[in-house]
Each structure stands twice: as C-alpha cells, then as structure tokens.
C-alpha cells in the first residue's frame, strides 16, 4: 500500500476544512472568538492558534528529515519555534487566517513531494520538553494530520455551540466515487 496518495488526501482535507473553519469563525465577533469555553485551549481562537503552533513545531521537525523532500520545508527553518503549545502566534483572526493559508500551502507542497523511501525512514527529534525521540516518519505524519482533525473537531463543536454551522466535515466528500469515474 502506498502511503503518499493517502497523505495527499489528508493534506487536501486539512486545507479544505481549515477554509471552512476559518470562514465560519469569521462570522463571530472577536469577543465570541476569544470567549473562554472550557476547551483544551480555552477558546475558539485559542484552539486555532494551538493548531498553528503545533503545525509549526512539527513542520520545523519534518524540515530536519534527511530526505530530499525536506527542501520543500526550508521556508519553515527561519520561523521562530513556538515555546508553548498555548502560545498566541497571532492576536487577530485575519493574521492567523493568512498564516493558516500559508501553512496549508506549505503542507500540500511538502506532501506532494514525499516518496515511499522517505516514508519508510525514521525521524529523530526533541519534543517541546527536550526529550529525544526517534520514530517512524510515516507514523509521525499520520499523527500530524490526526492532531489537526482532533482539534478542528473541537473547534467545529465550539462554533456549533456559538450558533455557527460549518457544514459538511466528512473527508468522504473529497474521495472520488469510483462509480462516477
């Protein structure tokens, strides 16, 4: 089974859902976006910031991978490394939304360049507490996308509770129906 096409689907889903989530969040006034809602990262805005933080941390780690695809992540190297998982990278939704669009483009380009050889290797890195780890690269990429889905699920719930419907969220909407091909 080739993993790269699955990662391309996950990257497309990630981008599609982020557009939907940010469009929905844009319907709320700032006070509602930053309102404490007892989520892992407090608010809708806090959770969206966390996703940008976590993606930045992971993409910076992935940029150190010895594969030929690491060059597609060279743009990540010079970005400051977030120091906390709840760090506020942007204090306004428009700035965060623009950064999110940029990150999603970086992710799409990087995933499109992955090879099976890249995916079968390991990645050595340090977590945010400095603990060294060495793990299967493809498994880390699965974690990367699963983490995004987890927290976007929280955001979609918070948005729903605030009276904003983001619409269809199933990845199935992006999978071609082979009966129609």
């Amino acid at each position: 089974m080739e993993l790269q096409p699955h990662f391309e689907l996950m990257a497309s889903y990630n981008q599609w859902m982020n557009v939907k989530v940010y469009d929905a969040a844009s319907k709320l006034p700032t006070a509602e976006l930053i309102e404490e809602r007892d989520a892992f990262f407090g608010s809708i805005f806090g959770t969206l910031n966390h996703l940008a933080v976590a993606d930045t941390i992971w993409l910076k780690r992935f940029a150190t991978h010895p594969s030929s695809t690491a060059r597609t992540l060279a743009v990540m190297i010079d970005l400051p490394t977030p120091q906390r998982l709840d760090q506020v990278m942007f204090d306004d939704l428009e700035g965060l939304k623009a950064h999110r669009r940029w990150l999603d483009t970086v992710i799409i380009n990087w995933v499109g360049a992955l090879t099976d050889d890249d995916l079968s290797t390991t990645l050595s890195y340090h977590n945010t507490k400095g603990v060294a780890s060495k793990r299967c690269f493809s498994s880390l990429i699965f974690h990367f996308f699963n983490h995004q889905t987890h927290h976007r699920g929280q955001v979609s719930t918070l948005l729903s509770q605030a009276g904003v419907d983001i619409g269809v969220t199933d990845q199935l909407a992006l999978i071609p129906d082979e009966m129609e091909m």
Side-chain angles (χ1 to χ4, degrees), residues 105-164:
T105 299
V106 169
I107 293 166
I108 294 275
N109 293 336
W110 165 64
V111 168
L114 289 171
T115 67
D116 285 340
D117 287 341
D118 298 331
L119 297 171
S120 65
T121 61
T122 59
L123 177 71
S124 297
Y125 66 94
H126 290 82
N127 70 14
T128 56
K129 294 180 179 163
V131 177
S133 190
K134 185 175 184 178
R135 299 186 188 216
C136 174
F137 192 43
S138 61
S139 295
L140 291 173
I141 296 170
F142 273 117
H143 166 74
F144 174 72
F145 286 116
N146 188 62
H147 177 262
Q148 294 168 0
T149 300
H150 167 69
H151 286 297
R152 268 195 314 270
Q154 292 172 336
V155 171
S156 69
T157 297
L158 297 174
L159 286 166
S160 178
Q161 290 170 351
V164 179

